[in-house]
Every structure is written in structure tokens, then in C-alpha cells.
Amino acid sequence: MKLVIGNKNYSSWSLRPWLALSVAGVAFDEQRIPLDQPDSKARMLAVSPAGRVPVLIDETITVWDSLAICEYLAERFPDAQLWPADRAQRARARAISAEMHSGFAGLRNAMPMNCRGRHPGKGQTPAAMADIARVCELWTDALAASGGPFLFGHFTIADAMYAPVVSRFVTHDVPLPPLCAAYVAQIQALPAMVAWNAAGAAESEWVVADEPYADPPSAP
Ligand SMILES: N[C@@H](CCC(=O)N[C@@H](CS)C(=O)NCC(=O)O)C(=O)O
């Protein structure tokens, strides 16, 4: 099984299935296609008709789109319990995962994922703050109902879907209520998340669109 991803520092969509695979303990190969390079699009099109990452290749099966990949993994590795076992909880986990997948543009645009960046206080536009309030509301509801430490008790796809939001909150030092701050710390402390962040920090590429609050690196 191979997962094709973008830069670990920037590719929020790639983080989701990568984290689901890693926390589930599935062995997989990784192929990295850095974003925003002259050959990025051609390399992505060579592995997926959608021409974007992430892409999962499981022998003859190719799955693209982060949520579709996570759904495939849940079906392929049922013992990993990537969705809650309870039908009502599963429905709720799917709803908040879909809400993440199709929404929160205000947050995404104003606070791009940049694991190694630290831009406290930046990006607090009205649209981003409205999205953050909704994220806090749904995290609080899920954590209060499950008792934590993850949104539905144990780690599920819902946590994977919100992991890039966690990363954005850390980069932009978003003020959070205690329960949400504890959840951010819980996700950041996952060994897989620690490994992803370290790998992202070690990358040398600079993607201008994802660095709105930083000066470009000086030429060597
Ligand atoms: N909805 C897709 C979005 C995938 C996506 O936009 N990926 C970005 C990288 S994070 C990409 O491939 N960008 C390159 C491009 O659009 O050319 C998913 O969930 O996987």
C-alpha cells in the first residue's frame, strides 16, 4: 500500500489519511510530491486523474481525496475501528468529518497549515474567527459526550480530519477554551503527529501561497 502526499509542512489534506494509516498501525510506503514545483501537476496526474494529493494506491485500486481514502481505510482495516462502533456516534463522526471536508474556508484561507511556522495572532479575520468558534463548539460537544481524550473516545477518522486544524491553531497561537486546548495538546503529542511535524520542519521547500505571514528565506 502506498500513500502519495505533498509537503508535510504544508499539505493539510495529505496529513489526514497519513495520520489515519499511522495511528491504525498499517504498514505503508510513502511517496512525496512537493507542491508548487514546475513538475508537481504532471507528477500528480501520473498517479491520479484528479491531479491532486493525497492518493492511496492499494495494488490495483487507486483512491484519491482525503475523506474517500479514510473511508477506504476504515473498510479495509475494520479492526482499527477508524469509525465509532455505535451507529449514532458513527453518523455524528461522519457529519463533523464532512463538515470539515467541505467547509471552514475562512479558517483555511486565513491560517494555512504551516507546521514549522509560528505566527501568533495572525489570520484572525472575522470569517476565520467564526469558523474557529464552530470548531470549538463541535469539539466541545464531542469531547463532553465521549469523555475524550479523542473526539469519540478512541482515535477515529474525525480526529484525523481535524488534525490540520490543530496544527493551524498551534502555528497561529489561537486562544482556545481549556477543553479544546487540551485536545490540541493530545493530538500534537501523538507519536505519528510528532513524526509528521519533525519531517515537515526538515523540509526545505518554500510555498509562497502558504506563507502569507513570513518573509521569504534569504538566498544562500
Ligand atoms: N478535496 C481534496 C483536496 C486535495 C488538494 O487540494 N490537495 C492539494 C495539496 S494539499 C493539491 O494537490 N494541490 C495541488 C494542485 O491543486 O495542483 C482532498 O480532500 O484530498
Side-chain angles (χ1 to χ4, degrees):
M1 186 170 279
K2 179 168 81 173
L3 186 69
V4 187
I5 59 173
N7 312 56
K8 286 187 173 166
N9 191 55
Y10 300 116
S11 184
S12 57
W13 301 104
S14 299
L15 170 57
R16 298 174 171 110
W18 189 95
L19 196 59
L21 274 164
S22 301
V23 175
V26 176
F28 65 102
D29 294 327
E30 185 181 300
Q31 180 187 347
R32 203 179 70 100
I33 302 179
L35 306 172
D36 217 26
Q37 304 297 307
D39 63 347
S40 300
K41 195 47 120 181
R43 293 182 67 192
M44 290 175 192
L45 282 166
V47 289
S48 160
R52 293 185 167 193
V53 288
V55 181
L56 183 80
I57 300 165
D58 186 15
E59 298 188 350
T60 58
I61 300 172
T62 297
V63 191
W64 59 93
D65 194 287
S66 57
L67 188 52
I69 296 170
C70 287
E71 286 282 7
Y72 178 81
L73 295 175
E75 194 180 304
R76 177 87 159 73
F77 302 103
D79 291 349
Q81 295 188 299
L82 283 168
W83 287 123
D86 175 77
R87 183 159 55 94
Q89 291 304 304
R90 196 162 60 249
R92 195 163 180 86
R94 281 198 162 110
I96 68 168
S97 296
E99 185 176 347
M100 173 74 253
H101 196 53
S102 61
F104 299 113
L107 171 61
R108 283 212 278 257
N109 292 336
M111 300 184 184
M113 192 175 95
N114 178 0
C115 301
R116 67 179 170 233
R118 289 297 177 268
H119 305 297
K122 300 286 188 189
Q124 294 188 7
T125 63
M129 296 312 281
D131 284 349
I132 289 165
R134 172 60 191 144
V135 167
C136 286
E137 179 183 54
L138 67 84
W139 282 3
T140 300
D141 287 351
L143 291 166
S146 71
F150 297 101
L151 294 173
F152 293 88
H154 69 278
F155 181 93
T156 67
I157 286 167
D159 300 291
M161 292 302 289
Y162 281 88
V165 171
V166 165
S167 180
R168 290 173 154 103
F169 284 180
V170 171
T171 295
H172 302 88
D173 196 18
V174 173
L176 297 170
L179 192 62
C180 296
Y183 176 68
V184 164
Q186 180 76 31
I187 296 294
Q188 283 290 92
L190 282 169
M193 198 71 180
V194 170
W196 176 279
N197 285 330
E203 288 173 344
S204 58
E205 300 94 1
W206 177 273
V207 175
V208 175
D210 290 325
E211 296 276 5
Y213 306 118
D215 295 327
S218 48

